[in-house]
Amino acid sequence: MTPTLNDLKLYIPTAKAFENEIPTFASKFRVAERECMNKWISKAVYENLLNGTNDDIKDIIKNCLYNYAFFEYIPYAPLRASNTGLLKIENDKEKSAKPEEVENLRIQCFKTAMAELENIFEYLEETKPTIWTSSDKYSIFNQYLIKTASDFQKYCNINNSRRVFLSMKHGIDYAETIIVEKVLGKELLDSLRSNPTGDKKILLEKYVKPAIANYAFANSILDLNVVLGEYDTVLQFDNTGANNQKGYKQADTKNLIAIIELKTKKAEEFLKDAIQFISDNSSSFPEYETTTGSNSMPSIVSETA
């Protein structure tokens, strides 16, 4: 997509003074396409939606891209404060905007872009176009017991963010195939992957999935803090009441380790309860009797600290 001044003014109202900056802005728009579209839904799906007939999703895509591009562009633009927002400095008599004013605008643009990206994911999940369901971005989790962000959200809070869920692919793989499979055994896990019913469905939904979600979160959190960047608030703590600071403070290692320990403890409890449930209903789980799995609970903290 080629950015235009009319669209820029439509999606970023305070950007009306940037008419001569479109060529420079266009380079940041390319960054937005790579970071928001190609990275998360694939270039093919992005172009398919853009060339489709649904004007609402086109509008969402544009709002996402223009806001993310402006987020990338702002540090390179001389800005001044006005009663209509931040505008471009036109002469040397105009004072630059305060750093916190510029930063607040960047944060707002970033949040808007990410909110619209979540709306794009929601649209794709609801409509399930073939180009999406046949893509690697969609099928990457089909091999696991937890396949969607909404399913993960049932057991561990990620603000229902698809981006967070997609970023935890390696953590989910580690939790399911290394930790839980080691404890319960591959034969039993395979039986849970094949549309289980009765006690097996109870085991899966009430114990195994919660264990996987919490182990995955604990294993991923340090990486997520990097993957999602300093402007994403999913893994940051509200610091507005401390020392009169505004906005958010990056979560420090001490806080992250505390979360890792809490999530690991919850996961271990779910897994222990799973073993007890199997023992209480042993006739429903003949696979577990032949497993070589160990009942020991691996420590996530030692893996990530």
Side-chain angles (χ1 to χ4, degrees):
M1 185 198 310
T2 301
T4 67
L5 179 62
N6 286 337
D7 277 348
L8 179 60
K9 290 191 293 185
L10 177 63
Y11 297 104
I12 311 290
T14 59
K16 60 185 179 182
F18 292 86
E19 183 171 3
N20 297 325
E21 301 294 324
I22 286 296
T24 304
F25 179 80
S27 66
K28 303 305 178 185
F29 198 84
R30 300 282 88 80
V31 173
E33 288 183 309
R34 291 196 300 270
E35 292 298 313
C36 296
M37 298 294 117
N38 301 354
K39 176 180 178 180
W40 296 106
I41 66 173
S42 81
K43 183 178 180 180
V45 173
Y46 161 51
E47 292 178 346
N48 179 267
L49 295 177
L50 204 59
N51 295 325
T53 58
N54 190 313
D55 290 336
D56 289 338
I57 195 64
K58 291 180 185 179
D59 181 66
I60 290 172
I61 289 173
K62 287 183 178 181
N63 197 27
C64 174
L65 292 176
Y66 275 95
N67 272 277
Y68 192 90
F70 207 62
F71 158 78
E72 290 280 352
Y73 171 74
I74 288 172
Y76 304 96
L79 300 173
R80 64 180 174 85
S82 76
N83 57 5
T84 59
L86 297 184
L87 301 176
K88 183 184 176 186
I89 292 177
E90 301 293 348
N91 57 67
D92 56 9
K93 294 182 180 181
E94 295 175 338
K95 293 183 179 180
S96 298
K98 296 178 181 179
E100 58 266 29
E101 293 174 325
V102 176
E103 187 66 3
N104 286 341
L105 178 58
R106 290 196 79 209
I107 291 174
Q108 184 57 50
C109 288
F110 182 85
K111 287 183 176 179
T112 298
M114 295 301 101
E116 293 291 47
L117 182 55
E118 292 294 336
N119 288 333
I120 294 169
F121 275 123
E122 185 175 353
Y123 171 82
L124 290 171
E125 287 181 4
E126 289 178 352
T127 60
K128 290 183 171 57
T130 302
I131 194 170
W132 167 243
T133 57
S134 61
S135 71
D136 291 341
K137 302 292 184 181
Y138 176 85
S139 61
I140 189 172
F141 286 96
N142 280 353
Q143 61 185 303
Y144 302 117
L145 291 170
I146 299 179
K147 304 180 188 301
T148 65
S150 57
D151 199 19
F152 194 99
Q153 178 70 27
K154 296 175 186 176
Y155 313 109
C156 185
N157 181 31
I158 54 172
N159 292 337
N160 209 31
S161 171
R162 284 97 175 150
R163 290 179 302 114
V164 174
F165 179 68
L166 290 173
S167 297
M168 289 197 296
K169 192 267 182 185
H170 296 296
I172 291 173
D173 181 77
Y174 178 81
E176 181 173 326
T177 64
I178 303 299
I179 297 182
V180 175
E181 190 171 292
K182 178 182 178 182
V183 175
L184 299 183
K186 186 177 187 304
E187 189 176 355
L188 177 55
L189 261 289
D190 283 345
S191 72
L192 298 182
R193 294 178 179 121
S194 304
N195 298 317
T197 59
D199 285 341
K200 285 187 176 178
K201 185 173 183 179
I202 294 174
L203 176 68
L204 175 63
E205 300 294 338
K206 192 173 181 179
Y207 305 108
V208 174
K209 282 187 177 181
I212 291 172
N214 281 279
Y215 270 131
F217 193 93
N219 184 252
S220 303
I221 190 170
L222 293 179
D223 291 334
L224 282 177
N225 202 43
V226 175
V227 170
L228 298 180
E230 62 178 321
Y231 289 96
D232 195 299
T233 60
V234 172
L235 291 177
Q236 292 176 344
F237 297 99
D238 192 346
N239 197 43
T240 54
N243 302 319
N244 296 317
Q245 295 184 41
K246 297 180 179 180
Y248 291 86
K249 177 178 74 72
Q250 190 80 13
D252 59 31
T253 301
K254 182 179 179 181
N255 288 328
L256 293 177
I257 294 301
I259 293 176
I260 290 171
E261 292 175 345
L262 175 63
K263 294 295 184 181
T264 301
K265 182 179 179 180
K266 290 182 68 174
E268 290 173 349
E269 290 172 350
F270 279 118
L271 208 46
K272 288 176 181 177
D273 289 343
I275 294 171
Q276 186 61 53
F277 182 77
I278 293 170
S279 177
D280 293 341
N281 302 275
S282 57
S283 61
S284 297
F285 305 100
E287 302 90 348
Y288 186 70
E289 295 178 358
T290 60
T291 184
T292 57
S294 168
N295 289 0
S296 62
M297 305 297 167
S299 172
I300 292 290
V301 177
S302 63
E303 296 284 345
T304 56

